[in-house]
Amino acid sequence: MTVFVCAGCDAVLSAPVSQVALPVHAHQKWGNGVLLPVLMESGTYAVDPDPWGPPWRRWSEVGEDEAAARGVFAPVYALSYGAPGAIVVAPGDTRGTVLIPDRCGGHCCGLTGGDGPNLACERCGRAVATRIDDCSLWQAVWFAPDAVRALPADGPAAGPSGWEAAAIRERPGPPPVDQSGQWSPQWEAAAGAGLAHLLAASSGTPLNVPGGLLRDLFGRPLDVLLPGGAPARTVAPAGPGLPVADPAPDIVLVPRHPRTGDPWQPPGTARAVPLPAEVWASLAFPRERLPVPASGGLPDGVLRDDPPPLRPWRPLWPDQQIFLDTLARLPAVRQPWLRGIYDRVRGHSYPHLF
C-alpha cells in the first residue's frame, strides 16, 4: 500500500492506496451532458506514463520529428507538454486538499482542469492536483507527479501478480450493455483502443472475426476499414484458462494484467492485441448477465429467457478519440495504408463511418 504526501511539507494527501493498471478510458469524453461515475475504485491508484494536461502545443508548432520523439507518429490537434507520470485516485481517497478558487473553470457542470492544477495542499498552499468532475468526463483527482511523494503505508497486502492467481475470469467488470440498451462507455473505449491494435496487427489484410460479442465489438469497423475477400487472417481470444487453439489463430486477443497493465504473452508466433482484463474475460468466457439477483442455475449451454437478456438498441461505436489517440502512438501508423485509415477516421463524421 502507498500513501501520497505533499512534496513541499509532507502533509498526507491520500488514503492508503494500491496500484492498478491505468484504465483505458481514463481520458475518455463520452456522451453529451452525461454524468459519469468515478474512474478509480476506492483504495486504488494508477499512473499515466504519458504526458497529459497543460501546457499544450499544436501539431503545427511541434512538427513531425519532435512529435515522434515524444511517441506520437501521426498528426493530432495538440500535444501535451505536461509532466508524465500523473497519479490518478478516486476523489474520495484524497486528504488535506482545498480548491484553488481562480482555477475552477469547467465547460458545463463541473471542473475540467483546463486551467491547470485546481487543488492545493491545505497545509502549505502548494498546487498538488487536478480535480475533474464535469459532465461527460470520468470523475477523478490527478496528482501532479512533481508535487507529491509516495510513501509506504500500512494496509492489506497487494493482490498476486501471477496470471493464474489474478483470477481474471472472475473479475467483475461492467456489462457490455445496460438495462436501457445502451453500450457501456468502458466497452466503447476498449473497442477503440483494441481496434487500433487490431488494424496494426492485420498488416492491411482482411480479418475473420467470429460471431457473438467479439463480432459486435469489432466486426463492423473492420468490415469498413479493411478490404474484403480471402484469404483472411483469423482472430480469437487467448490467455489464462483458455485451451490452446488448433489451428492457432493468426491474431490473438489477450488480457492486460489488472494490476500491472502488462499484456499476457501468447506462445507461438501469433500477434497479440491487448484488451482490458474485464472486457477480455467477457469475450473469453461469455455468459449471460441478469439485471436482477436470481437464485438457482441452469444446465450448461442453456440460456435463461426470463428476464430476457440485455440487448443493445444500436451497434457499438468504438470510441473515436481513443481509437485515434491509440493509433497515433503506434509506430505502424507511419505505413501509408494505415495512415490512410487514420486520416479517414479523423476527418470523417463519426460514428456514421460505421
Side-chain angles (χ1 to χ4, degrees):
M1 300 292 285
T2 298
V3 64
F4 292 97
V5 301
C6 176
C9 69
D10 285 341
V12 173
L13 301 178
S14 81
V17 287
S18 60
Q19 186 170 5
V20 297
L22 182 73
V24 70
H25 54 283
H27 299 296
Q28 182 184 33
K29 183 175 182 179
W30 190 84
N32 181 18
V34 179
L35 295 179
L36 293 177
V38 174
L39 174 67
M40 303 298 297
E41 292 183 12
S42 179
T44 67
Y45 77 95
V47 178
D48 190 345
D50 297 319
W52 190 262
W56 297 88
R57 293 179 60 190
R58 293 192 178 184
W59 177 267
S60 57
E61 303 172 21
V62 175
E64 186 173 332
D65 292 339
E66 185 176 343
R70 300 180 67 84
V72 179
F73 305 101
V76 295
Y77 178 75
L79 276 76
S80 169
Y81 275 71
I87 301 136
V88 61
V89 299
D93 282 337
T94 59
R95 303 288 187 270
T97 61
V98 293
L99 284 169
I100 302 173
D102 59 352
R103 294 187 181 179
C104 291
H107 292 310
C108 183
C109 302
L111 308 175
T112 63
D115 299 324
N118 54 27
L119 290 178
C121 172
E122 187 176 24
R123 179 187 294 176
C124 70
R126 180 190 182 103
V128 293
T130 302
R131 170 74 184 258
I132 294 178
D133 56 16
D134 204 352
C135 56
S136 299
L137 301 175
W138 291 89
Q139 298 180 46
V141 168
W142 293 84
F143 285 118
D146 57 353
V148 297
R149 294 190 301 113
L151 297 178
D154 294 332
S161 58
W163 279 106
E164 295 300 333
I168 281 182
R169 179 173 181 173
E170 302 303 324
R171 281 180 58 81
V177 180
D178 65 21
Q179 296 184 46
S180 69
Q182 177 69 55
W183 283 101
S184 159
Q186 293 102 310
W187 277 74
E188 293 192 347
L195 178 62
H197 285 280
L198 261 179
L199 288 170
S202 75
S203 299
T205 60
L207 296 183
N208 181 16
V209 179
L213 189 55
L214 186 55
R215 181 74 189 173
D216 292 337
L217 205 61
F218 297 118
R220 289 171 60 92
L222 290 174
D223 289 344
V224 170
L225 298 176
L226 289 178
R233 295 188 177 188
T234 54
V235 179
L242 285 180
V244 177
D246 186 20
D250 301 303
I251 300 172
V252 291
L253 305 173
V254 301
R256 289 190 183 274
H257 196 281
R259 276 194 55 218
T260 67
D262 296 329
W264 185 80
Q265 296 299 317
T269 60
R271 302 191 66 176
V273 170
L275 291 174
E278 60 272 17
V279 171
W280 175 87
S282 294
L283 297 175
F285 308 103
R287 56 187 178 186
E288 292 291 343
R289 296 172 181 254
L290 294 177
V292 295
S295 61
L298 293 172
D300 290 340
V302 177
L303 297 180
R304 185 183 297 271
D305 60 0
D306 183 24
L310 301 177
R311 292 291 182 262
W313 59 267
R314 63 163 175 83
L316 182 143
W317 298 327
D319 189 287
Q320 181 188 26
Q321 196 56 54
I322 291 178
F323 168 77
L324 292 172
D325 289 345
T326 303
L327 191 54
R329 291 186 174 276
L330 298 180
V333 77
R334 292 179 289 191
Q335 301 175 42
W337 72 270
L338 192 51
R339 173 61 184 275
I341 289 177
Y342 177 88
D343 292 340
R344 179 183 176 189
V345 175
R346 187 168 180 251
H348 203 284
S349 177
Y350 193 90
H352 304 293
L353 179 65
F354 301 138

